[in-house]
Amino acid sequence: MTEGIDQATYKRLTSERITNTSIGAFDQLTIISQRAINGQLAHMWRKPDSPLRKISVRPYGDDAPDYFFDANLNPPTVNLSLGPNKQTVIFCLNVKSGTIGWYKGVGPKAKPMTEDIGPSRLALRVNMAFDQLAERDVPENIKQAPVKVDDYSVGQLLFDFTTADLIPKLNGIDQNESDFTISKDAETYFYPLLEHYLTTLREKGPDGKPAEHNIINYTATAKDPKVFPAAPTCAPTTLNFQNLPFVLKESDKTSPNAVLGGKNSMLVYLQMTEGRKFPFDLLQPSANWVMPPFDETSEQYDGTVCLSKASFLHGFLLPRLAHINQESTWVVDEAWWKAIDGGFKNQYLVYGHLGLNSKDLQDPFFQDYQWKLTSQENGVRTYEYHRTHKKDDNHGAWRVWQEEGLDSSSKCVMKLSGSTAIQTYLHLDGIGEIGKTTSLVTCTWEASLILDGVDQGELKITANIPKEPTIRTVEDESFLYPDIQDNIMDQTRNGFKYSEFANLKGSLEKLFSGSWAFVFAQGRDFFIDRACFNREGDLLCQLKYKSVGSGNPAQPSG
């Protein structure tokens, strides 16, 4: 089904989602389209005992059997409000057919009257509200979503029918107003009968909990952010919500009227992590986080999870990858060559080790092994790490130094490459070229990290190694000391051979393994289809809504 946009507009909006979206001051966003919410309502409506299927109101029972309101309902729909109050919806009861009964007159002579109602829309202005759940009240299917439910507080976003009021029919055009036809006589009784039905919607279930038809989504927040030191932002500590418009042109950002029938208007969960203070202002419209199709073959998705650059790329991914920098840094331990026994004999000691150990990390020179942003152009960010460790013993006639460097770049496709080079140069002064010798041992590698949606909507990182790391050796032998470099080169080659570079794929995947080390589930009502970075460096996880016929109940967001 098309959504009223052409192919050129579709391509423009797809591009703007990468180039123009902005997370603002928030750590994480979960965005759900109005279409997705209505799909969930349709799923609830299919249950035979759902009060969303029909209206059956007889306030006085057998004492006044002809005072009633009966109606068969199509699935309800919501329109997200885009005016000043961005935390309300227009909840539409879509009447297929119905009948109102009342009494004309009073006492024994009162005459039963009826009037049929044709296809109608009863539009209610309804607030959305959070309800915190006691641990004993968390449904079993929700407890199964987090790995350890004790670490979470579970809440639910509800349709709050407490103050719901009927929006009257004004011009018959606006989708946010009621549209029904009824006589003046019947109208007098219609409104109180409808209020009785709304009382039914407000009632809690037999267990005292909010009824299922009131629940939009469950949400999970971390009780203690310290429990998740390795998680990117899968466990928000505070959250709020708002509505955002779908934007085709600049004026749509402030218009109270939704475009394309409002199907792509967005409900946004605003999330902060690690106990950080919540921003004062709500999110401002930038570009669209959801995408309608332009024809039957084009892609459609109903939501996005956005993790900020600060919390994911700079706060999680690059620090994790810095482990590779730590393990590939060559440290010079000793580097000297001197004459002994009055100059008749030579003694030298040149060695080092691969990888920063705990002692090295106490040295301020080695404490910063994180990636640095070196360029940002054409949508590509390049991060590099360089470290040169050099020791030069120049106290007399003998001199030696070793040098190492590693650089790597990370693009939206997350391609990684680097090299570690250990160069040893020895020079015996005073005898010319025959006293010089140089060796170079280089380990080069390349890899890519793949973000993909798997299983029940989880996002995982896997590693791909197109070719194994290579170790190359170049030596310029000294005529006078042809074997002096042999032990040095053997040591450096073995350093690489028995390091994490021997199984680079396993080393990378180990960095991103474990349930909360990286993997997080968006829930069974959505699945993560793919992921990429936007222009600002935020991670966008594209959500698709599972079929409303899948039988899966609402799951936690975020």
Side-chain angles (χ1 to χ4, degrees):
M1 180 178 181
T2 61
E3 294 287 335
I5 61 173
D6 55 26
Q7 186 173 9
T9 302
Y10 181 85
K11 289 183 177 179
R12 174 177 64 85
L13 296 180
T14 301
S15 175
E16 289 177 354
R17 178 175 174 266
I18 302 301
T19 59
N20 293 7
T21 47
S22 175
I23 198 171
F26 297 95
D27 291 334
Q28 181 172 309
L29 304 175
T30 302
I31 303 99
I32 304 170
S33 71
Q34 179 177 298
R35 180 196 299 106
I37 297 173
N38 286 332
Q40 184 169 316
L41 285 171
H43 180 45
M44 296 178 186
W45 173 87
R46 291 180 178 179
K47 296 190 173 182
D49 57 348
S50 172
L52 301 177
R53 292 186 64 86
K54 62 182 180 180
I55 298 173
S56 182
V57 175
R58 281 171 172 75
Y60 305 115
D62 294 338
D63 293 337
D66 294 309
Y67 182 55
F68 66 91
F69 181 15
D70 289 336
N72 293 318
L73 304 176
N74 288 317
T77 52
V78 299
N79 299 324
L80 300 174
S81 299
L82 303 178
N85 189 347
K86 295 180 173 62
Q87 296 183 327
T88 64
V89 300
I90 308 302
F91 191 100
C92 297
L93 298 169
N94 300 307
V95 178
K96 186 186 302 183
S97 62
T99 304
I100 297 174
W102 72 96
Y103 292 96
K104 185 175 183 179
V106 295
K109 296 183 179 181
K111 180 181 179 183
M113 305 289 292
T114 61
E115 183 171 323
D116 293 333
I117 299 177
S120 306
R121 181 177 65 247
L122 306 179
L124 307 168
R125 186 177 288 105
V126 176
N127 292 324
M128 292 183 288
F130 272 125
D131 179 35
Q132 196 68 38
L133 292 175
E135 189 170 329
R136 64 179 182 277
D137 295 332
V138 178
E140 285 302 318
N141 60 295
I142 303 304
K143 290 180 180 180
Q144 294 170 8
V147 171
K148 189 179 179 184
V149 73
D150 294 346
D151 295 332
Y152 294 87
S153 295
V154 177
Q156 49 195 359
L157 185 62
L158 305 172
F159 295 118
D160 183 4
F161 291 100
T162 305
T163 58
D165 59 309
L166 184 70
I167 302 172
K169 180 177 180 179
L170 299 175
N171 55 28
I173 300 175
D174 191 341
Q175 293 296 311
N176 289 336
E177 67 179 42
S178 296
D179 185 11
F180 60 93
T181 301
I182 195 170
S183 67
K184 288 293 183 182
D185 289 342
E187 187 175 2
T188 303
Y189 304 97
F190 170 74
Y191 292 109
L193 286 167
L194 178 62
E195 182 62 28
H196 277 284
Y197 172 68
L198 295 181
T199 300
T200 302
L201 296 183
R202 295 169 188 142
E203 291 176 352
K204 296 185 181 294
D207 54 4
K209 305 172 188 177
E212 184 181 10
H213 63 265
N214 290 45
I215 301 170
I216 305 173
N217 276 110
Y218 289 93
T219 61
T221 55
K223 293 179 181 178
D224 181 359
K226 295 179 182 178
V227 174
F228 303 94
T233 48
C234 53
T237 47
T238 54
L239 56 84
N240 199 354
F241 62 95
Q242 70 172 96
N243 301 330
L244 277 181
F246 188 82
V247 175
L248 292 176
K249 56 184 184 299
E250 188 66 23
S251 60
D252 296 334
K253 293 181 179 180
T254 55
S255 174
N257 301 315
V259 300
L260 302 180
K263 292 182 180 179
N264 304 289
S265 298
M266 294 163 275
L267 171 62
V268 183
Y269 292 91
L270 311 165
Q271 299 161 332
M272 300 301 290
T273 64
E274 300 179 17
R276 282 189 282 268
K277 186 177 180 181
F278 212 86
F280 179 77
D281 295 322
L282 296 177
L283 186 68
Q284 298 302 310
S286 54
N288 299 308
W289 302 92
V290 300
M291 183 59 60
F294 75 88
D295 64 13
E296 288 78 2
T297 63
S298 59
E299 189 175 32
Q300 163 191 318
Y301 47 91
D302 295 304
T304 296
V305 170
C306 178
L307 286 73
S308 72
K309 176 181 67 178
S311 60
F312 180 73
L313 183 61
H314 288 179
F316 173 75
L317 182 65
L318 293 179
R320 277 297 176 94
L321 286 175
H323 176 76
I324 299 296
N325 299 340
Q326 180 182 351
E327 292 300 315
S328 63
T329 299
W330 182 268
V331 179
V332 182
D333 293 310
E334 293 288 348
W336 51 266
W337 188 5
K338 63 182 65 176
I340 60 176
D341 294 342
F344 290 99
K345 292 182 180 180
N346 295 325
Q347 187 176 33
Y348 67 92
L349 189 60
V350 180
Y351 71 93
H353 62 271
L354 185 66
L356 301 176
N357 58 34
S358 57
K359 180 181 177 181
D360 298 330
L361 294 175
Q362 295 176 8
D363 186 342
F365 181 81
F366 291 117
Q367 286 175 357
D368 185 7
Y369 53 89
Q370 301 298 325
W371 301 95
K372 306 299 180 186
L373 179 66
T374 58
S375 68
Q376 180 179 345
E377 53 185 73
N378 299 323
V380 177
R381 280 181 163 81
T382 301
Y383 295 85
E384 295 183 352
Y385 167 74
H386 296 272
R387 178 66 70 229
T388 299
H389 190 213
K390 175 180 177 182
K391 282 190 176 181
D392 191 345
D393 184 351
N394 196 25
H395 302 292
W398 313 101
R399 200 171 43 189
V400 63
W401 53 269
Q402 291 178 286
E403 186 173 357
E404 174 275 329
L406 172 77
D407 62 87
S408 180
S409 62
S410 178
K411 302 178 182 180
C412 287
V413 292
M414 301 185 69
K415 291 184 177 179
L416 308 169
S417 63
S419 66
T420 300
I422 296 97
Q423 185 179 52
T424 305
Y425 171 77
L426 298 98
H427 182 197
L428 178 60
D429 290 333
I431 61 174
E433 292 298 318
I434 63 173
K436 295 180 181 180
T437 177
T438 304
S439 71
L440 178 65
V441 180
T442 304
C443 178
T444 59
W445 57 272
E446 59 182 271
S448 59
L449 296 179
I450 302 167
L451 282 74
D452 197 11
V454 298
D455 302 330
Q456 291 293 331
E458 295 178 344
L459 181 67
K460 282 187 177 179
I461 287 183
T462 56
N464 179 50
I465 310 299
K467 60 181 180 180
E468 292 301 316
T470 58
I471 302 173
R472 291 186 173 89
T473 304
V474 178
E475 182 183 7
D476 183 10
E477 292 184 351
S478 165
F479 177 79
L480 190 59
Y481 303 101
D483 303 323
I484 198 171
Q485 294 272 14
D486 291 353
N487 291 338
I488 300 168
M489 290 190 295
D490 286 343
Q491 181 201 10
T492 52
R493 277 193 295 258
N494 287 335
F496 290 122
K497 185 177 179 180
Y498 299 109
S499 71
E500 293 201 6
F501 290 96
N503 182 12
L504 184 58
K505 178 179 173 67
S507 299
L508 286 171
E509 292 187 340
K510 184 179 178 181
L511 294 176
F512 302 102
S513 64
S515 298
W516 290 108
F518 179 76
V519 181
F520 66 98
Q522 185 54 31
R524 296 191 183 97
D525 50 349
F526 292 96
F527 67 93
I528 294 174
D529 179 57
R530 62 184 61 175
C532 64
F533 292 101
N534 68 3
R535 181 65 55 86
E536 291 194 350
D538 307 320
L539 180 69
L540 305 182
C541 301
Q542 177 176 308
L543 300 181
K544 288 190 174 182
Y545 193 67
K546 285 198 172 183
S547 169
V548 294
S550 63
N552 293 316
Q555 295 286 319
S557 295

